[in-house]
Amino acid sequence: MKPPRRIRGKVTAAAILAVTVAGTAVLTGGHDVPAPMRQTGESGPYRELRPAGPPLRAEAEITGSPRPEGPARVGAAPGAPAERECGGVSAELVPACGAWWGVSPGIDSLEYMESRFGRRFDLVHFWHGVDSTDVPGAEARRLARQGRILHVNIAGRAFGGGRVRWREIAEGRWDRALAEQARGIAELDRPVFVTFDHEPDTRPKIRTRGTGEDFAAAWRHVHDVYRRHGAGNAVWVWVLTGYAGNFPRAASFYPGDRYVDWIGWEAYQAYLCDGRIWDAEDHMSFEDTLRPFHDWLKTEGVRAGIDPDKPYMINGLGSVRYTDPSLSVRWYREIPATLRRYPQIKAVQLWQPPEGMRCPWRIFDRPAEAEAFKRAGQDPYVNQRRPG
């Protein structure tokens, strides 16, 4: 007996990926609400730090010593699987060991970033509105043919303009466009990461789009429309902010285990886009940044009925600069070592501001940090080395 189309497509793609994939990346365009941007009247979603001075005008190459171990982590496991276990990719795009390596090119093209970082990226992130019908677009299809993994985000707003409420999506008002999206995804006949409206737990989205319950209903509806129109190859990634101030309402946005394949959140160290540098005493490591939501998932999330064993994705990451520039460099350099301590995190994606956004997070404007990220990307743990 043949397996269902959903499984056949995913297994076929997994086999292709096992031969062709060497890393990860993200390509952005038309972001809905990029996470590091401050929202009017919002104190989050990321921790505010005390500015210590004007923007840095230059950086020297900086190195630093490894960060000492912190206190015990909830549900985190040391080390990585044995090398003999590595090399496979599951039907749900979960690598047997290691993690996909991602970057959101933003104003810089994927090709430029790959040339600067000296490696091929794999996870490519595209952004669309609930009204979009050209999904995936020509560029995404080209990258998929190269063996890339696509991550498609469907924002809970119309890119063509006009206000959208989650309740309207759940009621089927956007089904025609969603059906076109589903057919486009299905035509790829390989697994594709799909996220509906990332970071719904921000106050601006709640004010304009509805409640957590409205979002969960909309997510389930989008999922079901995709399935009805053949997109059984969609791998669903639920993405929240990861900001502790949003934890009390986080569970209300969960659509249910049968509608979610991966769980994602953001790991931004601070979020202001004004370009100032910050006091070294306010420094948080990459682990410090991702850990709060990880631990929430293992405790409050479990009590709320969220499966603690689903694979995790850091949907976006990035660090501000400090009075001691080596701290920002260390933040990026320690990513692979941190991932080894959190083997359930199977993908990470560097966020970069798209063209037109006045947010000084472009990593190539910070040579030392760019070099640190490049070196981190050379670590075998995020290169998916396969036997043979």
Side-chain angles (χ1 to χ4, degrees), residues 73-377:
R73 295 165 298 282
V74 178
E83 183 66 27
R84 61 183 173 80
E85 298 176 5
C86 299
V89 181
S90 79
E92 305 294 339
L93 292 174
V94 182
C97 62
W100 304 122
W101 188 243
V103 58
S104 177
I107 194 170
D108 297 302
S109 70
L110 177 63
E111 291 75 13
Y112 176 78
M113 298 200 81
E114 288 183 333
S115 68
R116 288 288 301 271
F117 288 131
R119 61 162 290 170
R120 173 177 171 164
F121 298 102
D122 174 70
L123 180 60
V124 187
H125 203 161
F126 290 88
W127 305 76
H128 304 277
V130 71
D131 59 335
S132 301
T133 55
D134 186 20
V135 180
E139 174 66 6
R141 293 174 185 274
R142 181 183 71 83
L143 294 175
R145 289 193 296 270
Q146 294 176 355
R148 315 278 185 148
I149 304 171
L150 304 184
H151 187 176
V152 173
N153 185 87
I154 304 300
R157 70 176 180 90
F159 279 13
R163 183 172 177 175
V164 177
R165 303 282 294 185
W166 288 322
R167 185 182 301 118
E168 297 170 355
I169 297 173
E171 291 170 350
R173 199 166 300 183
W174 298 93
D175 280 7
R176 181 175 298 180
L178 292 172
E180 285 294 319
Q181 296 169 13
R183 286 190 282 267
I185 295 292
E187 288 175 1
L188 292 177
D189 201 28
R190 66 185 67 207
V192 176
F193 284 128
V194 176
T195 294
F196 170 66
D197 215 2
H198 84 308
E199 298 184 346
D201 53 329
T202 60
R203 288 189 182 92
K205 287 190 178 182
I206 294 171
R207 285 196 298 266
T208 60
R209 300 181 191 179
T211 66
E213 290 75 15
D214 293 338
F215 170 82
W219 177 291
R220 290 190 291 267
H221 183 79
V222 172
H223 175 282
D224 290 346
V225 170
Y226 269 50
R227 291 297 299 273
R228 285 199 303 271
H229 291 275
N233 57 325
V235 178
W236 295 87
V237 188
W238 181 65
V239 178
L240 294 194
T241 61
Y243 167 58
N246 292 338
F247 290 176
R249 57 178 177 261
S252 69
F253 291 89
Y254 193 61
D257 285 342
R258 66 182 290 251
Y259 295 93
V260 173
D261 298 308
W262 286 56
I263 293 175
W265 69 98
E266 319 290 14
Y268 296 109
Q269 167 54 323
Y271 82 169
L272 292 177
C273 286
D274 59 11
R276 291 177 290 178
I277 59 175
W278 302 91
D279 281 328
E281 66 187 60
D282 287 314
H283 174 254
M284 293 173 63
S285 68
F286 176 63
E287 180 174 359
D288 295 333
T289 311
L290 71 84
R291 179 177 168 182
F293 192 67
H294 172 277
D295 290 357
W296 181 89
L297 286 168
K298 296 299 186 182
T299 53
E300 296 303 316
V302 171
R303 285 191 280 273
I306 300 174
D307 183 352
D309 296 323
K310 290 186 181 294
Y312 294 159
M313 176 186 294
I314 301 301
N315 189 69
L317 61 85
S319 174
V320 296
R321 289 179 281 184
Y322 293 92
T323 50
D324 177 357
S326 69
L327 296 176
S328 299
V329 171
R330 185 182 301 173
W331 197 94
Y332 290 102
R333 193 183 62 247
E334 291 180 344
I335 291 173
T338 302
L339 294 177
R340 283 184 168 88
R341 296 194 292 273
Y342 292 81
Q344 199 168 341
I345 297 175
K346 292 297 185 179
V348 294
Q349 302 176 164
L350 173 72
W351 182 86
Q352 292 285 271
E355 189 170 2
M357 178 178 290
R358 301 182 66 179
C359 189
W361 283 48
R362 181 176 180 262
I363 198 166
F364 294 124
D365 292 335
R366 310 174 183 184
E369 293 174 33
E371 181 64 20
F373 186 78
K374 176 180 179 178
R375 293 182 183 181

Side-chain angles (χ1 to χ4, degrees), residues 26-38:
V26 185
L27 184 65
T28 62
H31 288 64
D32 183 25
V33 182
M37 289 293 289
R38 176 187 289 280

